[in-house]
Amino acid sequence: MGAKEENGDGEMDQTVKKYLRGEAANLEGLQDKKLKGQLAIREELYGKSAKAAAKIEKWLLPSEGGYLEAEGIEKTWRIKQESIAREVDILSLRNQYDIVLPELGPYTLDFTPNGRYMAAAGCKGHLAIVDMKTLSLKKEIQVRETVRDVVYLHNELFFAAAQKKYPYIYNRDGTELHCLKEHGAVSRLQFLKNHFLLASINKFGQLHYQDVTMGEMVGNFRTGSGRTDAMQVNPFNGVVALGHSSGTVTMWKPTSAAPLVKMLCHPGPVSSLAFHPNGHLMATSGKEKKIKIWDLRKFEVIQTLSGHAKTLNFSQKGLLAAGTGSFVQILGDFSGSQNYSRYMSHSIAKGYQVGKVLFRPYEDVLGIGHSMGWSSILIPGSGEPNFDSWVANPFETSKQRREKEVHSLLDKLPPETIMLDPTKVGTVRPARKKEKPTKEEREAEMEAAVEAAKDSDIKRKTKGRNKPSKRAKKRKEIIDRAKRPFLEQQVEEQETFRKKQKTNMETEMPKSLQRFVRQKAT
């Protein structure tokens, strides 16, 4: 019992260290008693708050995420799914399966925000809703036309499918609710859950934003870069990123007809892109067989990896999945220095072509949509181990779902809040730089100053020093003193204008004659 208590105390001390604000201040060398007392009280408060946070973590964050660990010269990326299956529990083993439907593929997937349900869409018109907890088929329908993409809306009750001519919205019973004809022949769909906006890009390169609560079209823009198959939403700020055939990535918001950012990422077409959950990292892959990791705070490449990826996806814990051909590779940043290296790899049956990889929220599972159906594999350490039931609850009841839907509608953000830096929302706009006064305004100010100087009283002096001539001279001096700042400012402006004109003349002069220009004295 004593050993267990000591072990528990040691774990608690480690957790407390995590929440402490660095090393405690050294108070022994301080001479000022008042300052010493204030700092001692503050250090005590820091210690109490760290202990309280550690206790809360013990109860509210009971599960810990883990990763594969290799022993000796063993490599984690050599460990096969069969080896993992022999070691895991029965419930985890159920998440490892292959669904083969060769007549209806290739398949694309989407999960609900809480990871409970999955929508699978086959290119030949097959739509299926699967409960991932019980692994039971909730509903499947055949729309009898091409389906290019599928995406869930705010919860599992509604989903949108990009079909041959238009995108359609269905409920979970498979009933068609809406046909969005204004969007046209859509190739990719994304849903902005905080703004209730359905974003789509069609085959003509037109970007549409539609509010699914009111049904109105919020934005309709021509990207001017042609058709694209790479589209993703940044979870941090709600900005939609598009990857184009010119190698550029553009970022859009629904209130601007021009892209917020246009960055050249690859020399050839961009095949896929993905955002890290924190919104500060972006991964892009190009046809030149390079995967690049970008820091969006500086818009700089921080790492370039060799290898082609038709599809990319980040997990909740920051693992990056890249799929191409019949091979899926998982990269991890375990050092915390944003340096991704190989973590796991998986090969599906030869001849299968991976179309989409997608991590399941709150589970260590990766869904793979390919040409012959879809598969699910185990990726230890990919999902968030502790869910917040106020944000996403995989076990929510219908009553909780209804309440959450009402709360999310009340908290719905307007489209104007979408911007590159959302921290600016709610801040005060900085004061504008004072504009230069016009010539008329300057003359009026000078006249007002002269009038004020004329009306000023002159002190009466002793006999002989109060002559009219001396009084007039004194008044003239006061008027000149009032005019002086305005005249000095005018002279300065004329001087700067003359210098600017001179430099312009020098730059306009041909290069061959510039050496004859009089040099400034040093």
Side-chain angles (χ1 to χ4, degrees):
M1 189 70 183
K4 278 187 181 179
E5 282 180 8
E6 283 178 14
N7 191 22
D9 290 341
E11 284 180 9
M12 181 63 78
D13 290 341
Q14 288 294 324
T15 316
V16 168
K17 272 185 186 177
K18 189 170 77 173
Y19 287 103
L20 277 172
R21 304 186 181 194
E23 293 293 325
N26 185 15
L27 306 178
E28 290 178 5
L30 282 175
Q31 300 296 326
D32 191 339
K33 289 185 179 179
K34 186 179 178 183
L35 178 63
K36 195 174 181 179
Q38 287 175 347
L39 288 175
I41 292 166
R42 190 164 291 184
E43 287 297 333
E44 191 183 347
L45 287 173
Y46 286 157
K48 283 180 180 176
S49 63
K51 280 180 184 174
K55 282 181 183 176
I56 289 166
E57 183 183 305
K58 186 180 176 181
W59 294 106
L60 295 184
L61 304 176
S63 304
E64 288 184 8
Y67 294 96
L68 280 180
E69 291 183 5
E71 292 180 354
I73 60 169
E74 193 181 19
K75 303 293 182 186
T76 55
W77 46 269
R78 290 190 186 277
I79 299 171
K80 303 291 182 188
Q81 288 294 312
E82 293 81 11
S83 306
I84 297 171
R86 286 196 294 270
E87 304 297 330
V88 297
D89 58 283
I90 297 169
L91 281 174
S92 299
L93 190 60
R94 292 181 69 192
N95 291 319
Q96 205 180 53
Y97 60 84
D98 291 298
I99 304 294
V100 181
L101 298 165
E103 298 85 12
L104 303 170
Y107 272 82
T108 183
L109 313 170
D110 191 45
F111 292 104
T112 52
N114 59 15
R116 176 71 187 266
Y117 295 93
M118 182 187 78
C123 189
K124 306 288 173 61
H126 179 227
L127 294 172
I129 305 295
V130 182
D131 186 340
M132 301 304 290
K133 286 290 176 191
T134 60
L135 289 178
S136 58
L137 184 68
K138 287 294 178 185
K139 190 70 183 177
E140 65 174 336
I141 55 173
Q142 176 58 256
V143 296
R144 302 195 179 191
E145 63 177 9
T146 305
V147 178
R148 298 188 192 90
D149 200 7
V150 66
V151 67
Y152 268 109
L153 301 190
H154 55 284
N155 57 25
E156 72 271 13
L157 295 181
F158 306 101
F159 65 95
Q163 293 176 209
K164 187 177 180 181
K165 285 187 176 180
Y166 314 110
Y168 292 81
I169 294 178
Y170 297 90
N171 66 3
R172 65 174 171 184
D173 299 322
T175 308
E176 182 190 314
L177 301 178
H178 300 287
C179 173
L180 310 175
K181 291 190 176 181
E182 291 179 12
H183 291 248
V186 167
S187 58
R188 287 287 174 269
L189 288 168
Q190 288 290 320
F191 184 70
L192 285 72
K193 59 181 181 180
N194 294 327
H195 307 82
F196 282 81
L197 293 177
L198 181 66
S200 71
I201 184 80
N202 64 19
K203 64 180 182 180
F204 303 111
Q206 287 177 309
L207 179 65
H208 293 82
Y209 287 90
Q210 187 146 14
D211 190 332
V212 296
T213 56
M214 306 295 289
E216 62 176 332
M217 188 68 74
V218 176
N220 177 9
F221 312 117
R222 285 186 177 274
T223 59
S225 300
R227 180 172 178 157
T228 177
D229 286 325
M231 180 184 189
Q232 203 67 34
V233 172
N234 189 334
F236 174 62
N237 52 22
V239 171
V240 171
L242 302 172
H244 303 287
S245 57
S246 59
T248 57
V249 169
T250 54
M251 297 184 187
W252 300 80
K253 67 175 183 175
T255 53
S256 173
L260 300 171
V261 175
K262 190 173 185 180
M263 50 195 291
L264 183 64
C265 296
H266 295 273
V270 177
S271 55
S272 181
L273 57 93
F275 287 101
H276 194 279
N278 65 17
H280 300 318
L281 289 183
M282 178 179 73
T284 61
S285 65
K287 297 281 179 160
E288 84 282 9
K289 297 186 178 178
K290 288 280 188 292
I291 299 170
K292 293 184 180 180
I293 312 291
W294 297 81
D295 188 342
L296 294 179
R297 289 165 291 189
K298 298 184 287 183
F299 295 102
E300 288 179 1
V301 180
I302 55 176
Q303 192 179 2
T304 303
L305 303 158
S306 59
H308 180 55
K310 191 182 176 184
T311 172
L312 294 168
N313 189 243
F314 274 103
S315 77
Q316 287 179 315
K317 299 298 279 183
L319 298 181
L320 176 63
T324 181
S326 57
F327 184 70
V328 177
Q329 190 175 19
I330 290 86
L331 308 165
D333 170 29
F334 302 106
S335 61
S337 59
Q338 296 173 350
N339 186 24
Y340 278 81
S341 56
R342 231 178 347 171
Y343 173 53
M344 287 184 71
S345 58
H346 177 69
S347 295
I348 55 177
K350 196 174 180 183
Y352 289 15
Q353 295 296 309
V354 174
K356 178 130 183 208
V357 292
L358 191 65
F359 283 100
R360 182 177 159 197
Y362 304 102
E363 291 285 348
D364 292 347
V365 173
L366 176 66
I368 306 168
H370 49 77
S371 55
M372 304 295 275
W374 72 85
S375 303
S376 177
I377 61 173
L378 298 175
I379 308 294
S382 64
E384 175 61 48
N386 303 290
F387 64 87
D388 185 348
S389 58
W390 291 103
V391 177
N393 184 5
F395 306 99
E396 69 183 359
T397 61
S398 56
K399 185 181 178 183
Q400 287 173 328
R401 190 193 63 235
R402 284 196 298 269
E403 284 186 10
K404 189 185 168 190
E405 191 170 6
V406 171
H407 280 292
S408 56
L409 282 166
L410 290 171
D411 296 337
K412 175 188 159 188
L413 298 174
E416 291 78 22
T417 57
I418 298 174
M419 56 182 69
L420 282 175
D421 186 9
T423 55
K424 286 183 179 176
V425 176
T427 57
V428 180
R429 183 181 289 173
R432 286 187 178 180
K433 200 177 179 182
K434 197 175 179 182
E435 291 182 2
K436 215 174 186 181
T438 60
K439 191 179 177 182
E440 290 79 12
E441 287 174 349
R442 204 182 292 117
E443 284 177 358
E445 280 181 29
M446 191 164 73
E447 284 175 12
V450 169
E451 289 297 324
K454 281 180 181 177
D455 294 341
S456 62
D457 293 329
I458 298 171
K459 190 178 175 183
R460 291 187 171 273
K461 299 197 177 177
T462 55
K463 190 177 178 183
R465 298 176 64 187
N466 201 23
K467 292 179 183 177
S469 59
K470 286 195 175 184
R471 287 171 67 82
K473 190 179 177 184
K474 189 73 176 172
R475 196 173 294 280
K476 190 173 181 299
E477 281 176 8
I478 292 168
I479 291 167
D480 289 343
R481 204 179 299 129
K483 277 185 182 180
R484 190 176 294 129
F486 298 99
L487 295 172
E488 283 175 358
Q489 191 180 353
Q490 198 174 347
V491 169
E492 278 178 20
E493 286 176 5
Q494 285 175 357
E495 191 67 30
T496 52
F497 178 72
R498 201 178 296 115
K499 282 180 183 175
K500 200 182 284 183
Q501 211 171 13
K502 195 175 179 182
T503 52
N504 288 344
M505 282 174 66
E506 285 177 11
T507 51
E508 286 171 11
M509 195 173 285
K511 204 167 185 179
S512 58
L513 298 176
Q514 280 182 10
R515 62 197 181 98
F516 297 109
V517 176
R518 185 180 294 171
Q519 299 295 323
K520 289 181 183 178
T522 55

